[in-house]
Amino acid sequence: MRSIWNGAISFGLVNIPIKLVNATESHTISFRQIHLEDGGRIRYRKFCELEDREVTQAEIGKGYEDADGTVIPITDEDLAHLPLPTAKTIDIVAFVPADRIDPLQMENAYYLAASSTPAAKPYTLLRETLKRSQKIAIAKFALRGRERLGMLRVVDDVIAMHGLLWPDEIRAPEGVVPDANVTVRDKELDLADALMDTLGEVDLDDLHDEYREALEEVIAAKAAGEAPPQAPEPARGGKVLDLTAALEKSVRAARQSRGEEVGEQAEAAEEAEVRHLPRRKSTRAAPKEAAGEKSTSTAKKTAAKKSTASAKTSTSKSAQGAKKTASSSRTTAKKTPAKKTPAKKTAARKRTA
């Protein structure tokens, strides 16, 4: 890999000559601006505002625009005399635990390579020291015209450096926190935990840029004179009103995607959706109409009460009639004597004879 910076790591009195190479690369597809009418390239040319002519790169320098619009020229010689000890040195200033660094501070990543055979010994010493201490090194370095903050750590058997933003370059999250007073229930937290456990971990090597792949297919189709592939329209889901139901559905979907069985009861659960409440009817009405409605309503209630009372009276009379009939039957049964059969007397007469 081609180095973008040559210098040394300053580790106390130890000096380690190194080369700096990019640890990352961009796979972003870039476009050119073209003239829609004929497809010609659109280019930008550099013109001097005072002379109104195009200038070459050799004629272009640096300048700082003051608050009143005055431009102050700054030459490379002016920059060369700056008191910048880190111009060619990555100066380690401290060793701290890794959790001291907020990921918000991280910028570009670089690999540090020993630039010569004699540099291999001190390079290995620093690498093994970082491994054994389980700490990271905080360093200052200069790159592309300004001093930067860096973090050194071990990746496999290589020392890597992450550019860091200065602490005063991190904006405070004011106005970002929700203003509403929201209460999260324990059941919702339990479902969220279950969803996290169901999704589990992922091998980052399996992730890829699907948008870039689709864009490459479009470019290939256009180059071949074919119609570009059309992506299916994404399903439009309704606004979820019930957070608990949404979490339950997410857990079921995650388990199904992992090939796990889902119970029939869970399968039959309905999706949560927003239901609009019916509009309230206006309670304002003309006095006469309101009075008429009130009298009608009162009449209906009175009729309903009379009907209910009549039904209760009828039921009571029927019950009383049934009780009297049953009592009369029992009395008749007691008064009526049972008929005796003369069979026993006839048998006694025969024995006497």
Side-chain angles (χ1 to χ4, degrees):
M1 290 183 282
R2 186 175 64 87
S3 63
I4 61 173
W5 185 89
N6 293 317
I9 300 175
S10 177
F11 178 30
L13 297 178
V14 178
N15 195 59
I16 311 171
I18 55 97
K19 297 184 294 183
L20 190 71
V21 298
N22 283 318
T24 62
E25 59 184 5
S26 176
H27 293 161
T28 302
I29 296 176
S30 58
F31 295 100
R32 303 290 186 183
Q33 290 186 330
I34 62 171
H35 186 200
L36 292 177
E37 185 175 344
D38 53 20
R41 282 280 306 277
I42 302 297
R43 298 180 183 273
Y44 293 99
R45 296 181 179 180
K46 299 179 180 181
F47 274 75
C48 175
E49 292 182 350
L50 298 179
E51 299 181 10
D52 193 22
R53 69 177 181 88
E54 186 178 355
V55 296
T56 62
Q57 185 62 37
E59 299 176 88
I60 300 175
K62 298 181 182 69
Y64 175 79
E65 186 175 359
D66 206 351
D68 59 358
T70 304
V71 178
I72 304 171
I74 302 295
T75 65
D76 292 339
E77 185 178 357
D78 295 331
L79 298 175
H81 289 85
L82 286 175
L84 191 60
T86 56
K88 287 292 183 181
T89 305
I90 298 175
D91 187 17
I92 296 177
V93 296
F95 292 89
V96 299
D99 58 6
R100 287 278 301 276
I101 301 300
D102 191 328
L104 284 174
Q105 288 185 256
M106 292 187 180
E107 287 192 306
N108 296 334
Y110 308 94
Y111 288 137
L112 306 181
S115 61
S116 62
T117 302
K121 181 65 180 289
Y123 182 95
T124 305
L125 172 64
L126 175 59
R127 183 191 67 197
E128 296 303 315
T129 302
L130 290 172
K131 280 185 178 180
R132 189 170 69 173
S133 66
Q134 296 183 348
K135 293 183 177 181
I136 59 173
I138 302 299
K140 297 169 68 176
F141 67 103
L143 183 64
R144 298 188 178 97
R146 71 183 186 94
E147 190 173 57
R148 301 167 183 258
L149 193 63
M151 175 189 76
L152 276 63
R153 68 186 184 96
V154 178
V155 178
D156 295 333
D157 287 330
V158 177
I159 299 176
M161 182 173 69
H162 297 267
L164 300 177
L165 296 172
W166 296 98
D168 60 358
E169 293 179 317
I170 304 297
R171 300 173 63 182
E174 297 177 357
V176 182
V177 180
D179 295 333
N181 186 14
V182 180
T183 302
V184 180
R185 296 177 297 170
D186 290 339
K187 182 179 180 181
E188 294 168 342
L189 288 172
D190 293 340
L191 286 170
D193 290 339
L195 179 58
M196 291 174 60
D197 294 339
T198 303
L199 292 175
E201 299 182 358
V202 65
D203 187 352
L204 296 181
D205 292 335
D206 295 336
L207 302 179
H208 57 280
D209 189 348
E210 297 181 8
Y211 178 82
R212 179 176 59 85
E213 294 175 355
L215 186 57
E216 289 175 347
E217 293 180 2
V218 171
I219 295 173
K222 296 279 285 187
E226 302 173 355
Q230 298 293 326
E233 293 186 3
R236 296 181 179 180
K239 293 182 180 179
V240 175
L241 182 64
D242 190 344
L243 180 59
T244 302
L247 288 169
E248 290 174 347
K249 181 182 177 184
S250 300
V251 172
R252 292 196 304 272
R255 288 176 177 172
Q256 288 176 347
S257 65
R258 296 169 66 90
E260 298 180 9
E261 295 183 359
V262 181
E264 295 180 359
Q265 184 177 0
E267 283 287 339
E270 295 182 354
E271 298 180 2
E273 58 182 13
V274 175
R275 295 183 179 179
H276 299 282
L277 295 176
R279 294 183 179 178
R280 294 182 178 178
K281 295 182 179 179
S282 176
T283 56
R284 296 181 181 178
K288 293 182 179 180
E289 294 178 359
E293 290 177 0
K294 186 175 182 180
S295 60
T296 304
S297 175
T298 305
K300 288 181 178 179
K301 290 181 179 179
T302 304
K305 288 181 179 179
K306 290 181 178 180
S307 176
T308 305
S310 176
K312 289 182 177 179
T313 304
S314 176
T315 305
S316 177
K317 289 180 179 180
S318 300
Q320 290 177 1
K323 287 182 179 179
K324 288 181 179 180
T325 304
S327 175
S328 177
S329 299
R330 286 195 296 269
T331 304
T332 304
K334 288 180 179 179
K335 291 181 178 180
T336 304
K339 293 182 179 180
K340 299 181 179 179
T341 56
K344 292 183 177 180
K345 291 182 178 181
T346 305
R349 289 175 182 175
K350 288 182 178 180
R351 285 196 298 270
T352 302

